[in-house]
Amino acid sequence: MGKLLIVGTVAFDAIETPFGKTDKILGGAATFIGLAASQFDVKSAIVSIVGDDFPQEYIDLLKNKNIDTSSLEVVKGGKTFYWKGKYHNDLNSRDTLVTELNTLADFKPVVPNDYKDADVVMLGNLHPSVQMSVIEQMAKRPKLVVLDTMNFWMDNTLEELMEVIKHTDVITINDEEARQLTNEYSLVKAAEKIQEMGPRYVVIKKGEHGALLFNEDNVFFAPALPLEEVFDPTGAGDTFAGGFSGFLAATDNTSFNNLKSAVIHGSNLASFCVERFGTERMQSLGKDEVNSRLHQFKALTQFDIELQ
Ligand code: AMP
C-alpha cells in the first residue's frame, strides 16, 4: 500500500455563500486533502497543528477515515487557525474576511519517522519555507512531491516559493496564479515556463471550467462536471489535490497516462465537495456514488467522430 504524507492547515472555517452561512466548522487544506485521499487504498498521515480548542470529535472523524493523526500537534492553551470567507453571487470569487493564524504562526512541521519514506508528499498551501522544511526531512526522495500554492506567497515570499518549486515534481495552481508567476497570458506558455522552474508536471485549475495537465509536449484537459447543486466551493482545490495525490500514492505509477487518471479522480471528488458546506459532503461519501459519477464523467467527454 502506498504511503501519502499530507502537510497543510487543519482549521476552523466560517463560510458565507449566497445560500447560507455557517459558524466555525471543520476546515483546512490538509483536512480536505485527507478526506479526499481516504477514498483510495493508501496509508496516509497529516502533519499539522491546532489549539486545544479543536474538538476531539474532529480528530476522531479523521482517524475513522484511517488517517494517521499522531503528527497533528495539539498546543495546550493555543487557538486553532481560523479563516472566514464570503463568496460573491457567481461563487467564482470570494473575499477573505478573517485570517487568524494562531498556532499556525509557529508551525514547524516534524515528519514522523514512519513517513520519511513516503511515496507521495502532498504539500498543501502554506508558507513556502514550511513546505521546504518538509522536503528536507525526507529520508529519501519521494516518487512525487506535489505542491499547492497561491498568489499570496507569490506577492510576499517569491524567493522562498521559487526554491520550493525547484524541488517539486507537480505543481497545482489556478489559471490566474500561473499567469502571475510567469507573466504569460497563454497558459501553454505559462506551463512551459513553470516546467523550466522545476516541476515536470503542471496542473492548472480553472474552477468550474476544469483543469489542464501539462508535461513536456503533452497536454490533457479534464472538464468539471456540470453540477445541479453548487453550494460552497471552499476546499474544492484541496479536494482535487487530495484525490489526485491519493490516487497516485495508491497506484504507484507516475506516467503521464496515470497522471491523467489522477486529474479525473481529483475533479470527480471535487465535484462532491462543493455540494454542501465545508467537509460535510466528503465525510459520508461512499465508494458507489464516487464510482457512478466517474461513469458520468466518462460519458460527458466521450464522442465518436469520423476522422479523415
Ligand atoms: P480552497 O477553497 O481550496 O482555497 O481552500 C480553503 C481552505 O484553505 C479552508 O478550509 C481554509 O481553512 C484554508 N485556508 C484559508 N486561508 C489559508 C491560508 N492563508 N493558508 C493556509 N490555508 C488557508
Side-chain angles (χ1 to χ4, degrees), residues 28-29 31-37 39-40 148 205 233-246 262 265-274 278-279 282 285:
T31 309
F32 284 103
I33 293 169
L35 289 174
Q39 289 289 332
F40 302 95
D148 190 28
K205 299 172 287 183
T234 308
D238 306 312
T239 301
F240 174 90
F244 180 84
S245 55
H265 281 286
S267 306
N268 191 45
L269 290 172
S271 78
F272 288 100
C273 174
V274 301
T279 58
M282 301 310 288
L285 186 59

Side-chain angles (χ1 to χ4, degrees), residues 9 11 13 27-28 32 81 83 94 125 234-235 237-238:
T9 43
D13 287 352
F32 284 103
F81 174 78
W83 175 78
R94 70 183 179 202
N125 175 30
T234 308
D238 306 312

Side-chain angles (χ1 to χ4, degrees), residues 94-263:
R94 70 183 179 202
D95 295 325
T96 289
L97 304 179
V98 180
T99 302
E100 286 176 14
L101 291 181
N102 299 327
T103 49
L104 192 71
D106 302 314
F107 179 41
K108 294 196 175 50
V110 178
V111 176
N113 281 336
D114 201 21
Y115 278 82
K116 286 191 172 159
D117 61 351
D119 302 286
V120 177
V121 176
M122 179 66 235
L123 299 169
N125 175 30
L126 279 174
H127 193 297
S129 305
V130 174
Q131 294 175 317
M132 192 63 215
S133 83
V134 172
I135 298 177
E136 284 164 353
Q137 289 175 58
M138 301 306 288
K140 61 173 199 169
R141 182 88 178 88
K143 288 175 191 148
L144 272 188
V145 176
V146 187
L147 175 83
D148 190 28
T149 189
M150 67 184 294
N151 52 359
F152 179 81
W153 307 116
M154 295 171 197
D155 294 336
N156 297 296
T157 56
L158 187 60
E159 208 175 305
E160 292 98 322
L161 179 62
M162 293 306 283
E163 184 58 25
V164 70
I165 287 178
K166 206 196 287 180
H167 290 86
T168 58
D169 302 292
V170 188
I171 185 170
T172 69
I173 47 175
N174 72 32
D175 42 3
E176 280 317 306
E177 291 157 354
R179 290 183 174 121
Q180 177 174 345
L181 187 61
T182 58
N183 284 320
E184 289 288 352
Y185 182 80
S186 151
L187 294 178
V188 176
K189 284 191 183 150
E192 255 172 40
K193 276 199 176 170
I194 297 172
Q195 287 177 73
E196 284 163 15
M197 296 171 185
R200 276 183 288 149
Y201 293 104
V202 178
V203 177
I204 300 184
K205 299 172 287 183
K206 292 161 65 68
E208 63 176 328
H209 303 298
L212 288 155
L213 169 69
F214 294 90
N215 161 246
E216 294 173 2
D217 293 333
N218 299 312
V219 191
F220 175 66
F221 172 68
L225 206 64
L227 289 174
E228 271 174 51
E229 273 183 276
V230 179
F231 193 76
D232 169 23
T234 308
D238 306 312
T239 301
F240 174 90
F244 180 84
S245 55
F247 173 78
L248 289 170
T251 49
D252 190 25
N253 173 345
T254 59
S255 67
F256 184 72
N257 255 337
N258 208 44
L259 264 83
K260 280 164 64 172
S261 303
V263 169

Side-chain angles (χ1 to χ4, degrees), residues 63-89:
K63 279 188 185 162
N64 289 337
K65 297 281 177 191
N66 279 327
I67 301 167
D68 183 339
T69 57
S70 51
S71 294
L72 175 61
E73 191 185 339
V74 182
V75 179
K76 271 219 168 91
K79 283 176 77 184
T80 300
F81 174 78
Y82 171 51
W83 175 78
K84 182 174 184 179
K86 182 178 176 176
Y87 287 86
H88 301 162
N89 279 342

